[in-house]
Amino acid sequence: MKEHRTKLLIIGSGPAGYTAAIYAARANLNPIQVLGIQPGGQLMVTTDVENYPGFSEVIQGPWLMEQMLAQAQHVGTQTVQDMISRVDFSKRPFICEGEGGDRYIADTVIICTGAQAKWLGLESEEKYRGYGVSGCAVCDGFFFKNQEVAITGGGNTAVEEALYLTNFASRVTLIHRRDQLRAEKVLQDRLMENPKIQVIWNAVIEEILGEEEPSKNVTGVRLRDTQTNKLSTLAVGGVFIAIGHKPMTELFAGQIDLDKHGYIACTSGTTLTNIPGVFAAGDVQDSVYRQAVTAAGQGCMAALDAQRYLAEHP
């Protein structure tokens, strides 16, 4: 069991955490970054990345995270393979405990624990994730030019992503388990008016179909009618899961203000939480954009906010 003292503790990694670490280290804050259960976050399970600025060719998500980690370490960040299991934000310095029993005592904290896309929980979904199954239309829609794709969900996210996919796909099929959507009326109207979109009501995906040769890819979905239990098959080249995201904030419940969806509540346009000296960046506080580049931008903002706070509260 060790005790670590630092001006700045960064909880979590990914684009937000690594960028915060880079800026904080360059500001001589000597940050400690606890990497968490999945260092690199969601990009570690993302294959082709084509929309991160600075790369003319397609890059791999894990490679990008490895580069960010190496850069954070190169400029002086102390990275620790641990997972924070308890926090005390009631007074400064803040005290956080790792799963192994180590204590982290910090003057400021940046939370970058991210969010996870909710998945259907199918074995076939896991098998083809990154090979035709995606949780982000903005990230991966470009790869399905002139193909038929399916998307499942019924809220604003599902409808918005279905509309977005029409910019690339030849046909988009929205699959919803009920007979009406939860999305806002204006979005529903746009959906119904788009000639490239069809809706299959009262249906759920039972299995994602695909092939291994000549390359691993999705070929369709097996659907079950929720009223009759009748099975049917829909041929598609891609499947998008849009049933929501879950911010990784269970650890902070009761310690910090969360919004009604569980995201950390920050002052608009900043990374400031309701606890002075505690900041949040990336998908853990962003329910709207959820992109690597916006998370990185917020990581920069959080480091600058922490630096400013430490200057004012030495």
Side-chain angles (χ1 to χ4, degrees):
M1 184 184 297
K2 295 181 181 178
E3 188 169 278
H4 310 265
R5 292 180 176 269
T6 180
K7 292 179 182 178
L8 171 61
L9 176 68
I10 300 168
I11 303 175
S13 45
Y18 290 144
T19 306
I22 291 164
Y23 273 79
R26 285 173 53 80
N28 292 324
L29 298 184
N30 301 314
I32 293 176
Q33 182 174 20
V34 178
L35 298 175
I37 192 171
Q38 185 181 6
Q42 294 184 74
L43 276 178
M44 295 303 289
V45 293
T46 302
T47 50
D48 293 348
V49 175
E50 202 170 26
N51 57 2
Y52 198 85
F55 301 95
S56 60
E57 302 292 332
V58 175
I59 58 173
Q60 300 299 300
W63 177 85
L64 179 60
M65 292 301 92
E66 289 167 5
Q67 295 300 303
M68 286 192 182
L69 170 60
Q71 186 177 3
Q73 293 171 333
H74 176 73
V75 294
T77 302
Q78 179 185 344
T79 57
V80 182
Q81 292 279 356
D82 198 356
M83 183 171 173
I84 299 299
S85 58
R86 193 181 76 84
V87 299
D88 182 357
F89 293 156
S90 61
K91 62 182 182 301
R92 285 183 75 210
F94 307 114
I95 299 175
C96 304
E97 293 183 5
E99 280 195 336
D102 284 14
R103 299 176 83 231
Y104 302 86
I105 302 173
D107 294 325
T108 55
V109 174
I110 298 177
I111 300 170
C112 304
T113 48
Q116 290 183 342
K118 294 180 182 177
W119 299 96
L120 300 174
L122 303 174
E123 186 177 326
S124 55
E125 173 190 55
E126 179 69 28
K127 179 180 179 180
Y128 291 104
R129 194 180 300 176
Y131 297 93
V133 174
S134 171
C136 178
V138 175
C139 309
D140 300 325
F142 178 81
F143 299 111
F144 296 90
K145 278 187 173 181
N146 302 318
Q147 295 187 48
E148 295 191 12
V149 300
I151 183 166
T152 183
N156 284 355
T157 298
V159 174
E160 287 171 348
E161 296 209 338
L163 290 165
Y164 179 82
L165 286 168
T166 62
N167 294 316
F168 310 101
S170 59
R171 188 166 190 80
V172 179
T173 301
L174 178 68
I175 301 162
H176 187 44
R177 60 182 175 175
R178 300 191 178 92
D179 60 0
Q180 59 182 6
L181 301 171
R182 303 187 311 276
E184 297 170 0
K185 184 64 166 59
V186 64
L187 288 175
Q188 293 191 45
D189 290 343
R190 290 178 195 161
L191 183 88
M192 298 305 178
E193 291 168 2
N194 194 304
K196 283 181 138 184
I197 298 176
Q198 68 171 355
V199 181
I200 297 180
W201 303 105
N202 300 311
V204 293
I205 296 176
E206 284 279 289
E207 185 182 3
I208 293 168
L209 309 174
E211 57 187 14
E212 301 291 324
E213 299 293 342
S215 61
K216 194 174 182 180
N217 64 284
V218 167
T219 59
V221 290
R222 182 170 290 115
L223 305 177
R224 177 176 60 82
D225 189 296
T226 58
Q227 296 183 322
T228 66
N229 283 327
K230 182 180 177 181
L231 296 177
S232 62
T233 300
L234 176 70
V236 291
V239 181
F240 291 83
I241 313 300
I243 56 176
H245 283 74
K246 178 185 179 185
M248 307 303 287
T249 54
E250 296 94 336
L251 173 64
F252 310 107
Q255 290 279 341
I256 200 166
D257 284 354
L258 307 177
D259 68 16
K260 63 181 181 180
H261 300 295
Y263 290 85
I264 293 178
C266 289
T267 303
S268 180
T270 76
T271 64
L272 278 64
T273 72
N274 67 302
I275 305 292
V278 178
F279 311 89
D283 289 9
V284 75
Q285 65 111 313
D286 175 15
S287 63
V288 178
Y289 301 103
R290 297 195 301 267
Q291 300 297 303
V293 67
T294 52
Q298 289 182 359
C300 165
M301 292 164 59
L304 296 177
D305 285 340
Q307 180 185 9
R308 190 175 298 113
Y309 179 86
L310 286 167
E312 295 171 354
H313 303 84

